[in-house]
Amino acid sequence: MARKFFGTDGVRGTANQYPMTAEVALRIGAAVGRYFRNDGTNRHRVVIGKDTRLSGYMFENALTAGLTSTGMNVFLLGPVPTPAVGLLTNSMRADLGVMISASHNPAEDNGIKFFGPDGFKLSDEAELEIERLIEDGVEPVQATNIGRARRIDDGRFRYIERIKSSLPRAVPLRGVKVVVDCANGAAHRAAPEALWELGAEVIPVGVNPNGLNINKDCGSTQPRLACETVVAHGADVGICLDGDADRVMIIDEKGNVADGDQIMGLLATRWADEGRLNCGVLVATVMSNLGLERHLKDKGLRLERTAVGDRYVVEAMRKGGYNLGGEQSGHIVMTDHATTGDGLMAGLQFLAAMVESGQLASDLVNTFETVPQMLKNVRYAKGQAPLDVNAVKSVIADSELALIGKGRLLIRKSGTEPLIRVMVECEDSALLKTVVDAVVDSITEAVST
């Protein structure tokens, strides 16, 4: 069965445009309600969190209507990070967790992510079954079995305590000056509060959400503001989150940005030295830099690659019994502490490395030498299939031939946006640029005709 609603991370799109409409959200709520309330009782519960997008109110209400119409009891958390939903789904013994967020996307987009009762994201098989139920339509229960909905006021505080517990008690943050950029998103209160309670001197930015400014000129995908703030305030480090706080970029005291690969490289080697890295394996996606793989091999460790998407990283981790993984984009998954990527938790692990080693952030963010890598995106319209165009196929084939023994080319459709992502990795910078330009130009021409 072909997917109609679900992408690599739930359902996502422009708010008030199909499929991200209130009507579809109600149908989705009813479908997942039917899927999880499978014994007909009213003991089943679902927790719903959201980020700070204006459209979150609409989807929160629509999902609640769909879920309660099938007999599910709904607990509304309000604005909380995505990892908080995974945590609270499990700790509150809920059957389902729902996060309303489009992560790093602009404010006009929104999305719906799902967590099972164990706090992990749903499997492909579960999503396909829910798609079938969405197509079947709403199947309401009798009036006496309609579910209840109520707000939970302490969800953020539960999450903060869990975050704090992931930092070793012997690691004091007193005297550490930290800039935290919350992208005007879900962690705008939780992140500064957690860092302050742990003793850090906190300089918050991106903490004034208005429903329309999430990820705008701030956050992990646009870290310039955080970089400038770190330098201007003489901070020791910057922690730059995205809109739902499941991603992080680290900024050193000089204002340089370290991506997820560098963070994973640091944590993997430290954990291995401490005997904490299960099986000597780090799990990352095909997008991670070849330099990371070489670095791990030199340390006697192994990189296991997956398809793009943190859910696929987590699936590989669970299958292999590994406890550290993530993505170059900043999803860092530590299954000893969390069920999904947690930007703030990863930031705390970096702070622990700084404190325990006595090193500057700039000494820690350059764990390995990267192989030159270039990523460009080409936007396409609904219904277009530029990768099926013969001229594009020909250019891709020629490019792959040119890179044999010198680098690699990765082309894929984004699972969250209408984009073709073109990534080339090659130590020959001239060839790198030539290949990227050739492939991007061919796709651009295909989508413009």
Side-chain angles (χ1 to χ4, degrees):
M1 177 180 172
R3 288 171 174 264
K4 184 176 180 181
F5 298 99
F6 287 90
T8 56
D9 198 8
V11 184
R12 190 175 298 188
T14 302
N16 261 357
Q17 294 182 21
Y18 186 87
M20 287 306 300
T21 65
E23 178 187 2
V24 172
L26 186 147
R27 290 167 55 197
I28 291 173
V32 294
R34 287 175 60 190
Y35 181 82
F36 283 96
R37 187 181 176 270
N38 50 24
D39 62 0
T41 71
N42 273 56
R43 297 172 301 180
H44 298 278
R45 45 171 52 187
V46 52
V47 297
I48 300 180
K50 63 180 181 178
D51 64 22
T52 56
R53 294 164 209 270
L54 181 63
S55 60
Y57 294 98
M58 176 179 73
F59 291 118
E60 182 183 55
N61 289 326
L63 286 164
T64 299
L67 286 158
T68 53
S69 76
T70 58
M72 296 285 283
N73 296 309
V74 177
F75 296 84
L76 300 166
L77 303 174
V80 293
T82 287
V85 174
L87 162 69
L88 294 171
T89 300
N90 181 257
S91 69
M92 293 179 65
R93 297 180 63 185
D95 300 273
L96 171 68
V98 183
M99 180 65 184
I100 304 168
S101 174
S103 191
H104 59 284
N105 286 25
E108 57 265 28
D109 291 346
N110 216 327
I112 307 170
K113 308 178 187 183
F114 298 97
F115 295 85
D118 56 3
F120 290 93
K121 290 181 180 177
L122 298 184
S123 66
D124 287 337
E125 293 74 20
E127 289 183 348
L128 285 172
E129 177 61 17
I130 290 169
E131 289 231 350
R132 186 187 67 77
L133 293 172
I134 294 172
E135 295 289 350
D136 288 349
V138 177
E139 189 176 290
V141 297
Q142 294 180 346
T144 53
N145 287 329
I146 292 172
R148 301 173 185 273
R150 66 186 179 94
R151 295 210 168 265
I152 300 296
D153 296 325
D154 66 345
R156 183 175 90 252
F157 304 109
R158 294 192 192 196
Y159 171 69
I160 288 173
E161 288 305 310
R162 180 61 171 268
I163 281 287
K164 288 163 58 179
S165 71
S166 70
L167 190 71
R169 292 187 180 275
V171 179
L173 297 186
R174 299 191 188 283
V176 180
K177 185 183 289 189
V178 183
V179 169
V180 59
D181 182 349
C182 301
N184 291 314
H188 72 281
R189 297 179 68 182
E193 288 173 3
L195 288 164
W196 183 85
E197 289 178 11
L198 286 167
E201 180 181 346
V202 183
I203 303 165
V205 296
V207 291
N208 295 295
N210 61 17
L212 301 173
N213 61 356
I214 188 171
N215 298 313
K216 186 176 181 180
D217 300 324
C218 59
S220 64
T221 54
Q222 299 185 61
R224 180 177 175 179
L225 173 62
C227 293
E228 292 174 347
T229 305
V230 167
V231 174
H233 287 264
D236 299 301
V237 66
I239 296 174
C240 207
L241 307 172
D242 70 336
D244 67 335
D246 63 353
R247 294 188 183 195
V248 66
M249 295 286 161
I250 295 294
I251 302 164
D252 70 19
E253 76 281 359
K254 301 175 184 178
N256 300 313
V257 180
D259 64 15
D261 281 351
Q262 292 288 356
I263 300 167
M264 288 189 291
L266 171 69
L267 296 183
T269 51
R270 284 181 58 83
W271 286 20
D273 290 343
E274 297 167 2
R276 297 170 53 199
L277 186 67
N278 288 0
C279 308
V281 172
L282 170 69
V283 181
T285 75
V286 293
M287 296 294 289
S288 279
N289 195 276
L290 179 60
L292 173 61
E293 189 168 357
R294 291 174 175 173
H295 166 73
L296 293 174
K297 186 176 181 180
D298 289 343
K299 298 290 184 180
L301 307 175
R302 181 167 66 86
L303 179 68
E304 181 168 319
R305 293 186 184 268
T306 73
V308 174
D310 66 309
R311 58 179 292 189
Y312 300 116
V313 170
V314 174
E315 286 176 4
M317 292 172 67
R318 298 180 73 188
K319 183 178 179 180
Y322 313 132
N323 62 343
L324 180 63
E327 294 189 281
Q328 185 184 70
S329 59
H331 287 118
I332 310 295
V333 185
M334 297 164 284
T335 50
D336 291 342
H337 304 289
T339 59
T340 189
D342 192 319
L344 180 56
M345 188 178 290
L348 289 180
Q349 292 297 315
F350 187 88
L351 291 178
M354 286 179 59
V355 172
E356 290 173 341
S357 69
Q359 293 180 281
L360 298 173
S362 57
D363 296 326
L364 297 175
V365 296
N366 296 303
T367 306
F368 61 89
E369 184 175 346
T370 59
V371 173
Q373 192 180 76
M374 186 178 294
L375 172 65
K376 287 191 177 182
N377 300 320
V378 182
R379 188 169 292 273
Y380 63 95
K382 185 178 180 180
Q384 288 184 314
L387 297 182
D388 294 333
V389 176
N390 287 333
V392 174
K393 290 181 179 179
S394 177
V395 171
I396 291 173
D398 290 343
S399 298
E400 289 175 334
L401 188 62
L403 286 169
I404 291 177
K406 301 175 183 177
R408 64 188 182 111
L409 167 64
L410 180 66
I411 301 172
R412 69 178 187 89
K413 288 184 178 179
S414 169
T416 58
E417 299 176 84
L419 298 174
I420 303 293
R421 302 195 189 277
V422 180
M423 190 276 283
V424 178
E425 197 171 56
C426 181
E427 290 178 335
D428 183 336
S429 58
L431 179 59
L432 173 71
K433 186 176 187 306
T434 297
V435 171
V436 170
D437 289 345
V439 175
V440 167
D441 288 348
S442 68
I443 297 174
T444 301
E445 184 175 349
V447 301
S448 62
T449 56

